[in-house]
Amino acid sequence: MTARKGEQRPAATLPVARVWVDVPLAHLDRPFDYLVPAQLAETAVPGCRVRVRFAGQQVDGFLAERVAESDFGGRLGFLSKVVSPEPVLAPEIAALARAVADRYAGTMIDVLRLAIPPRHARVEAEPPPEPSPVPGAPDPAAWRRYPRGPAFLEAVRAGRQAHAVWQALPGEDWPVRLAELATTAAAGERGAVLVVPDYRDVARVHAACVALAGEEAVVALSADAGPAKRYRRWLSVLRGGARIVVGTRASVFAPVHRPGVFVVWDDGDDLHADPHAPYPHVRDVLIQRAHAAGASLVVAGFARTAEAQLLVDSGWAPEIVAARAELRVASPRIVALGETDFQLARDPAARAARIPTVAFEAARAALAGGRPVLVQVPRGGYVPALACQQCRTPARCRRCAGPLGLPTAGRAAARPAGDVRSAARRAGEARAAVGRTAPERAERIGAPGSLFDAGPDEPARRGHVGVPADRAPGAGGLPDAPGGAVGRWEGPGGAGGGRNGTDHAPGGADGTARPPTCRWCGVPDTAFRCGACGSRRLRAIVVGAKRTAEELGRAFADVPVLSSGASEVLAEVPDRAALVVATPGAEPVARGGYGAALLLDGWALLGRADLRAGEEALRRWMLAAALVRPGNDGGRVVVAAESALAPVQALVRWDPVWHARQELAAREELGFPPAVRMASADGPADALATFLDELELPPSGEILGPVQVGDAERALVRTSRKDGRALATALATAQHVRTARKEPDSIRVRLDPLELI
DNA sequence: GCAATGAGCGTC
DNA sequence: ACGCTCATTGCT
C-alpha cells in the first residue's frame, strides 16, 4: 500500500484527499490537502487511516473526503500510505466530532481520539460479522406507569424523532426499560446507543438487552476491555453487526448504523464528563448527535439535573414522569433526621454508634424480616467548605456567588479584586463593584450597574422561548441553548434584592484573623452574613459518618456486614439480612430490594464546595433509595440531614422535578451554568494573563479571577447562553494564537466544567 | 558586493 | 524532521 517515490502519478478520479492530520497544535485544526497516488486510488477511501508527510514528518491522519481539486495555492504532497482501508471515520461521526470540538473550544483530532479506538490489525483482518437478526418489538407494558411512556415508545417504533426527559420511579428496573427502548429501535432496523456511567451499569444493561434482542444484536463498549476486544466490538458496530450499543461515555461516538434512539442514564453522574480534552459531556454530545441524525433522545435518571430541566423548560424535550398515585405505590417511606430530630436510641450499642431511634428501628425491622439494609456513608477526601453555622447553607461570595473557603497561608487571599474585568468595563464603562473594599462593595451589589446586571444585549424577559422539537437546538452546531434563547441571568440581588443582596454587616465573620475568601474570584469577605438565615457565623464542614457505620455493625452484632466502596465494589448482595455499607455510587443491587436504607452522608454531600452539591446529594440519595422496597412492603429510608433543606425535602417527597426547577432558578439567579455559559481556563499566571488579555469576548462576557489553584492559576469566563458559541470561538481563537506563536505554556480550557472550584 | 552558513519557522 | 526564508558572517 506504500506509494513509491519518484514515479508518483495522481489517481485518475478524485485525486485530492482532504486529511485531518494528527498534530496537537490548535491553529492546525483544519484538513490539509494531499494528492492520492494512482496506486492508492482504491484503498484511500473516505474515513480511512492514512500516513502523510507533514512539515517533514510522517504523521497519522484520517482521510475526510476525496475531491476533484484543491483550493490550496501551493504544491500538494502525496499521501505516503493508507494504513488500512477500513473507513473508521464515518461521515456522521466526522460531522459530530467537528461540532463537539467547536462547542468545547477544542480540536477535531482531540475528539477523534475519543471517538475512534486504537487500531488492532489482527482484529481488523477477521471476517466481518453477519448483520444480527432483527428482534421483535418488546412489550411496552411497563411504560404504562408513565403517562407519556407508551407514546414515546411508539414514536421510537415508528422511527419518528422524539425527545424526552425521563424520571424513573423508585425501584424501577431501569436496565430493562433501557433495553426495551433499544430493542424497539432495533425492531425497526434502527440502531440504539445506551450510555451509562460505569462498567457495572454496562453489565446490567447489556444483560437486559441480550435477554430482549439476542446476543448478536448487542455490544458492550467500556474502557475495561483490552485493546483487541475493544476494537473487535467497536468494529462490529461499524460494520453493521450489532445494532444496540451499551457503553460508558466514549460510546456516544459509536458508529451505529441508522441510529434511532440515544439514551443517557443518570446524566448527573460526573462520569459522563470526559476527563480528556476537550472534555465533552455525554448529554451535550447526544443532544447534538440525536438532532443531526434525526434520532430520538432520552435523558434519564431517578433524579433530574438542572440541565435536563432546561431541556424541558425550553420545550426541547417533553417529560416522562409517573403520576403521583404510581409514585405512592412504588416509593419507600422516607424520613429525614436533622440534628434537632436526633433522638438517640435507647439500645446501648446503638447509643454508642450515635444512631437515632428512627434509624435504628428501621434497620432492626428490616433485618428481622430477613432483608438487607443499605448504609450509605461518605467517601473520604471532600474539600471542606464553609457553611453557615446556624442553618448550614453553603457560604457564597456576595460578588460572584462562588464558594467561600478559608485561604491557605500565602495563597488566594492575596489576589486583588481589581483582577476582575468585564467586557463591559473594557469598553470603557467604570463598573461599581470592582476594586472597592468589602463593605463598600456590599452596598453596591444590589444596585443597578453591578457586574451582574444583565447587559443591554440580554433579552429583557426571563424565561424561555419554546421551539418545535424538529428545530435546531442551537444555530449550526451544538445547542448553545437547547430550544433557543433562554432569558437573562443576573447576580445576587439583581432583581429586587436577592439572597445575599443587601447585607452590610459590620465586624468579622467568624473571629479568625484570615477572612473567608472566594475560591473563584479571590475576594475576601470580611463581613459574611448568611443569605438564608442572616447568621454571621461560619463553620467548616466535617465528616464522621464512616465510623458511625462501623459502629452500627456493632449494634447488630449477629448480622454480617458487607462493604462496597473504592477498594472493592459489589454488584449485587444476597437477599437476606445483612448490613451493606457502601459509598455513594457503589451501592450494590439487592434482588428483592433492601428492607431499609440509612443515608448517613448528608453533611458531607451537602457541604461540598460545589455549586452542584444539593443536586448531587439528591441524585446519590435517590440512587440508593431507589434500591429499597416500596413503603407498603416495609421499605424505609432514613436520611441524616436537615429536613428544611431543599434536596432533603425533594427526597422525602420524591420530587426530583420540583428540585430541578428550584435548582435551575437558582442557577439563573446566581449566574451559573446551565443558565449561563461558563468556561474555566487554567495555566501558569503569566500565560493565563496574556490569554485572558487576548480574549475577544462578546458583550455579555465577563472574567472572574484569576485565583491560585495549586501551582497554577484559574480564571472563569462567562457569557449569556446566547453568546455561548461566541465564547467558544473566542477561546479557540486565543488558543490558535498561542500555538501559532509556539508559546511554551499551555492553557487548559474547559466549557461548563462540573467542578468549578 | 555577494556567496556561504545557520537559525527559525511553517507545516498541503 | 524537511525545505524554505532571512540574518549574519567572511571573503574579494
Side-chain angles (χ1 to χ4, degrees):
Chain A
M1 282 187 187
T2 308
R4 254 164 287 140
K5 264 199 170 139
E7 48 187 273
Q8 307 229 68
R9 261 182 295 112
T13 56
L14 303 178
V16 175
R18 315 206 73 208
V19 176
W20 292 101
V21 290
D22 191 353
V23 289
L25 301 170
H27 66 290
L28 301 180
D29 184 26
R30 58 194 162 89
F32 288 85
D33 292 351
Y34 287 85
L35 285 170
V36 178
Q39 70 270 32
L40 299 183
E42 301 303 313
T43 51
V45 295
C48 77
R49 298 179 212 252
V50 293
R51 274 181 86 74
V52 293
R53 188 190 203 86
F54 189 75
Q57 289 181 89
Q58 289 297 331
V59 299
D60 290 319
F62 295 97
L63 197 159
E65 56 180 336
R66 295 267 301 262
V67 293
E69 49 191 317
S70 170
D71 43 19
F72 178 60
R75 231 180 55 224
L76 297 183
F78 282 89
L79 295 178
S80 306
K81 164 178 184 189
V82 170
V83 174
S84 139
E86 190 81 40
V88 291
L89 178 56
E92 187 216 341
I93 304 302
L96 177 64
R98 183 66 266 168
V100 170
D102 291 343
R103 159 73 171 76
Y104 286 94
T107 64
M108 178 81 172
I109 206 76
D110 277 346
V111 181
L112 294 182
R113 243 192 302 281
L114 304 178
I116 301 174
R119 183 169 110 98
H120 194 286
R122 277 190 51 194
V123 168
E124 213 168 70
E126 293 167 7
E130 297 289 312
S132 61
V134 178
D139 179 8
W143 285 93
R144 291 199 198 109
R145 293 205 290 168
Y146 307 89
R148 311 172 104 133
F152 186 84
L153 253 75
E154 172 55 23
V156 173
R157 193 200 62 76
R160 288 197 306 273
Q161 181 174 27
H163 307 142
V165 168
W166 171 44
Q167 265 53 65
L169 283 161
E172 179 62 272
D173 195 352
W174 60 270
V176 176
R177 298 295 87 76
L178 263 52
E180 286 163 358
L181 285 165
T183 306
T184 301
E189 299 189 53
R190 304 280 300 259
V193 180
L194 310 176
V195 188
V196 297
D198 66 22
Y199 70 93
R200 282 194 314 162
D201 301 319
V202 171
R204 286 181 72 193
V205 177
H206 181 259
C209 289
V210 166
L212 277 182
E215 186 89 45
E216 311 82 46
V218 194
V219 76
L221 299 180
S222 71
D224 58 313
K229 204 175 232 176
R230 193 167 159 224
Y231 195 55
R232 183 177 296 116
R233 291 176 178 179
W234 187 86
L235 263 189
S236 84
V237 177
L238 180 72
R239 292 171 169 179
R243 290 195 166 85
I244 298 172
V245 172
V246 184
T248 47
R249 57 186 173 236
S251 52
V252 290
F253 299 107
V256 286
H257 292 201
R258 303 186 64 229
V261 66
F262 298 102
V263 182
V264 51
W265 169 256
D266 198 18
D267 67 304
D269 194 314
D270 53 17
L271 288 171
H272 286 309
D274 204 299
H276 305 103
Y279 319 103
H281 193 284
V282 165
R283 182 185 46 240
D284 282 352
V285 177
L286 289 186
I287 287 169
Q288 170 61 37
R289 189 172 177 190
H291 178 258
S296 294
L297 173 66
V298 186
V299 176
F302 291 114
R304 180 184 288 183
T305 57
E307 286 81 1
Q309 184 61 40
L310 186 55
L311 295 177
V312 174
D313 285 356
S314 66
W316 195 79
E319 56 186 4
I320 298 181
V321 291
R324 293 305 294 184
E326 288 288 350
L327 180 61
R328 272 193 293 277
V329 174
S331 178
R333 186 104 58 79
I334 304 171
V335 295
L337 286 180
E339 258 179 332
T340 48
D341 326 298
F342 216 86
Q343 191 191 1
L344 291 187
R346 283 207 191 79
D347 182 281
R351 223 182 155 74
R354 301 183 60 251
I355 301 293
T357 306
V358 179
F360 183 75
E361 288 304 319
R364 196 193 49 75
L367 294 169
R371 288 163 186 169
V373 171
L374 178 64
V375 184
Q376 191 187 48
V377 299
R379 263 199 303 253
Y382 289 130
V383 184
L386 293 176
C388 169
Q389 169 82 279
Q390 194 168 305
C391 72
R392 307 210 196 193
T393 300
R396 296 214 167 271
C397 171
R398 272 174 295 165
R399 198 175 49 76
C400 79
L404 292 184
L406 285 179
T408 40
R411 277 209 190 158
R415 300 301 303 191
D419 272 8
V420 177
R421 301 166 303 146
S422 73
R425 187 164 155 260
R426 280 185 176 183
E429 297 173 51
R431 289 292 191 163
V434 175
R436 292 173 184 266
T437 60
E440 277 180 293
R441 199 164 46 243
E443 231 169 29
R444 295 301 306 249
I445 286 295
S450 85
L451 279 178
F452 286 88
D453 255 296
D457 297 323
E458 291 293 320
R461 265 173 298 111
R462 185 185 293 258
H464 309 280
V465 183
V467 294
D470 60 349
R471 272 271 302 283
L478 270 194
D480 285 319
V486 170
R488 69 173 176 176
W489 50 280
E490 300 176 45
R499 351 230 278 201
N500 298 341
T502 51
D503 282 356
H504 189 174
D510 59 354
T512 57
R514 287 170 300 143
T517 297
C518 176
R519 286 194 220 263
W520 288 6
C521 68
V523 173
D525 189 343
T526 54
F528 169 79
R529 187 160 176 179
C530 174
C533 75
S535 167
R536 297 201 173 102
R537 302 176 63 202
L538 286 162
R539 63 186 286 163
I541 309 290
V542 282
V543 173
K546 173 104 187 176
R547 207 174 55 226
T548 307
E550 286 160 8
E551 308 249 356
L552 187 63
R554 261 171 253 158
F556 300 100
D558 50 343
V559 174
V561 178
L562 305 171
S563 171
S564 180
S567 50
E568 196 197 356
V569 178
L570 305 177
E572 204 174 324
V573 293
D575 199 12
R576 62 180 122 88
L579 282 169
V580 180
V581 179
T583 53
E587 300 88 354
V589 175
R591 187 141 302 212
Y594 288 96
L598 312 182
L599 311 177
L600 302 180
D601 58 349
W603 298 130
L605 283 177
L606 288 172
R608 295 194 336 158
D610 187 319
L611 76 92
R612 293 164 62 246
E615 180 178 286
E616 181 66 358
L618 179 59
R619 188 184 71 78
R620 290 175 166 188
W621 287 335
M622 284 189 158
L623 275 176
L627 300 173
V628 178
R629 292 163 174 264
N632 58 21
D633 193 17
R636 297 285 181 275
V637 173
V638 181
V639 56
E642 212 62 56
S643 58
L645 299 173
V648 183
Q649 282 187 33
L651 175 70
V652 169
R653 305 205 308 258
W654 202 278
D655 198 344
V657 174
W658 172 79
H659 190 264
R661 284 199 187 119
Q662 280 209 330
E663 189 69 29
L664 182 57
R667 306 256 185 107
E668 271 164 12
E669 187 184 339
L670 298 173
F672 290 154
V676 300
R677 184 60 53 83
M678 200 177 256
S680 68
D682 296 65
D686 294 350
L688 184 58
T690 313
F691 179 83
L692 294 173
D693 262 343
E694 286 169 352
L695 270 186
E696 299 208 17
L697 293 177
S700 68
E702 176 188 20
I703 296 172
L704 303 170
V707 294
Q708 190 91 31
V709 178
D711 297 337
E713 291 197 341
R714 169 174 304 165
L716 297 175
V717 188
R718 67 175 159 193
T719 66
S720 65
R721 290 189 58 78
K722 76 174 171 54
D723 285 338
R725 171 53 51 87
L727 172 62
T729 307
L731 292 163
T733 304
Q735 294 281 43
H736 292 180
V737 169
R738 290 188 63 74
T739 58
R741 258 197 239 127
K742 299 218 181 296
E743 299 272 1
D745 298 313
S746 60
I747 301 293
R748 182 159 83 139
V749 169
R750 283 177 297 178
L751 269 115
D752 293 341
L754 289 183
E755 67 303 314
L756 283 170
I757 56 146

